Amino acid sequence: MCGFVAIIETGEASREKEIREKALRMSAKIRHRGPDWSGIYSSARAVLAHERLAIVDPLSGGQPLYSSDGKKILAVNGEIYNHQDIRRCFAGQYEFKTGSDCEVVLALYEKFGDNFLEKLNGIFAFVLYDSSTGDYLVARDPIGVIPLYIGQDKNGAIYVASELKALEGQCEHYEPFKPGHYCSRRTAGKQVRWYKRDWFDYDQMQWSTTSRTEAIEQIRTGLKAAVKRQLMSDVPYGVLLSGGFDSSVISAIAKQYAAKRIETNDEHDAWWPRLHSFAVGLKGAPDLAKAREVAEHIGTVHHEINYTVQEGLDAIRDVIYHIET
């Protein structure tokens, strides 16, 4: 989890210092999203501020990220699972500056303009600004795993932020950025759907003739592949285990792959030799007992965090503030 704030088409150059300071105040409201690094890009036309939680390339992946020519600036929250494949496609064509999975967005933008989002396999929300042309691109992943909000002030400047609280009091209008959409200078700020599938229209569905046995195997293979690619990390692995069906199955699959680093195609041992699992709840809760049972069965290093009813009540206001619902 990371967070960012961007203000684009800020107007007069004389207001750069004022807008920069505003962006920093806005970014401070979401600093809980990224305790490892705070970075900012500022010009007369745009400000991008980023709060980072380091998962991939902790040493050199600080943001905002810059293109090889230094003219394109990117602030992103997310994970690009196929970034290594994309990097290989750009061998000899693009000079990457970091090991960040998200830097491939800049390479793709330089080659394809706005038309590259289908090439990304991952979860993401980002804003990209081209300082040489004034163009910008804002986009969000297909189903909105990563949060993103957009707004506009009375002067027409565009505001983008990872949490709504950062936009509060700054915009005349703001709203959630739609999943699977993008907007750019070319679309005049209008959100356009980039993620399109046939199954959006039930009547147009082409029903499969796959047998039940084949379907089960396809689900098993697809789920295992999805869990494995999402273990992409330069830090130790961990799972949140409730003891329910979903988290138990995912934890069991993660345990199968946790001994090796996915980033190195299983060639190197993981940063920590065993998978850690975490369960949170009231002492004596049946969910905790089930989580403990699953952890023992699959062999994780299990951690149980208890809280009292009063501690839960005490935390409600903070929980609502952070999750914004």
Side-chain angles (χ1 to χ4, degrees):
M1 181 174 71
C2 299
F4 63 83
V5 166
I7 308 175
I8 305 169
E9 298 185 339
T10 58
E12 300 175 7
S14 60
R15 298 183 64 218
E16 179 180 348
K17 184 175 183 292
E18 173 192 339
I19 299 296
R20 178 190 175 99
E21 291 175 350
K22 178 192 289 189
L24 287 171
R25 290 194 301 271
M26 294 168 62
S27 193
K29 291 185 176 182
I30 60 170
R31 188 147 297 151
H32 52 273
R33 300 185 65 88
D36 296 326
W37 170 267
S38 295
I40 188 169
Y41 161 83
S42 177
S43 73
R45 297 285 302 278
V47 181
L48 282 68
H50 190 271
E51 308 294 338
R52 187 188 186 210
L53 177 67
I55 296 176
V56 176
D57 188 20
L59 296 180
S60 66
Q63 295 193 38
L65 295 166
Y66 293 80
S67 59
S68 53
D69 63 6
K71 295 179 180 179
K72 299 163 191 70
I73 304 94
L74 174 70
V76 53
N77 173 25
E79 296 178 71
I80 309 302
Y81 304 130
N82 63 335
H83 77 104
Q84 290 185 331
D85 292 337
I86 295 173
R87 281 173 178 267
R88 282 189 283 270
C89 291
F90 279 93
Q93 302 178 46
Y94 187 88
E95 181 184 351
F96 289 95
K97 293 185 174 184
T98 75
S100 169
D101 54 310
C102 296
E103 191 179 358
V104 297
V105 171
L106 289 165
L108 288 166
Y109 179 80
E110 286 207 349
K111 185 170 183 178
F112 300 105
D114 296 354
N115 302 309
F116 68 86
L117 295 167
E118 280 284 2
K119 300 181 185 297
L120 298 176
N121 183 327
I123 54 175
F124 56 84
F126 69 78
V127 56
L128 188 157
Y129 178 69
D130 188 338
S131 62
S132 61
T133 64
D135 291 337
Y136 64 88
L137 176 64
V138 182
R140 192 178 182 195
D141 65 66
I143 61 173
V145 175
I146 302 297
L148 188 64
Y149 296 87
I150 189 167
Q152 200 167 26
D153 69 13
K154 61 183 179 181
N155 298 314
I158 296 169
Y159 291 66
V160 184
S162 296
E163 293 186 13
L164 192 59
K165 61 179 66 65
L167 300 183
E168 184 183 14
Q170 307 297 335
C171 303
E172 295 285 297
H173 168 79
Y174 47 76
E175 61 184 333
F177 197 92
K178 298 174 185 176
H181 283 66
Y182 77 93
C183 76
S184 66
R185 194 178 185 187
R186 185 171 58 84
T187 70
K190 180 182 177 182
Q191 295 183 43
V192 177
R193 176 175 286 281
W194 65 266
Y195 183 72
K196 302 175 183 178
R197 294 295 184 270
D198 292 342
W199 46 261
F200 285 2
D201 187 343
Y202 183 86
D203 293 332
Q204 299 300 316
M205 284 285 290
Q206 299 295 316
W207 296 103
S208 173
T209 57
T210 303
S211 70
R212 184 175 185 274
T213 301
E214 291 172 325
I216 290 172
E217 186 55 37
Q218 287 177 8
I219 291 172
R220 178 186 290 111
T221 300
L223 180 58
K224 289 178 71 174
V227 173
K228 183 177 182 181
R229 67 173 172 261
Q230 292 185 43
L231 288 173
M232 177 193 75
S233 172
D234 286 330
V235 294
Y237 304 130
V239 292
L240 187 61
L241 178 58
S242 71
F245 178 78
D246 294 346
S247 69
S248 298
V249 170
I250 290 171
S251 296
I253 296 172
K255 179 64 170 60
Q256 294 180 14
Y257 299 115
K260 296 294 183 178
R261 288 194 63 214
I262 306 306
E263 281 288 80
T264 63
N265 295 317
D266 300 336
E267 293 179 1
H268 296 94
D269 293 339
W271 294 108
W272 193 261
R274 293 179 65 190
L275 180 68
H276 284 239
S277 58
F278 300 83
V280 184
L282 296 170
K283 195 166 186 176
D287 284 2
L288 294 182
K290 290 298 182 183
R292 199 179 312 121
E293 184 179 342
V294 172
E296 290 173 359
H297 178 72
I298 65 177
T300 63
V301 180
H302 192 58
H303 307 268
E304 191 172 294
I305 296 95
N306 299 131
Y307 63 89
T308 67
V309 172
Q310 186 58 55
E311 287 171 334
L313 293 172
D314 293 342
I316 284 178
R317 187 172 295 276
D318 286 340
V319 169
I320 293 173
Y321 175 79
H322 286 298
I323 67 175
E324 298 187 332
T325 185

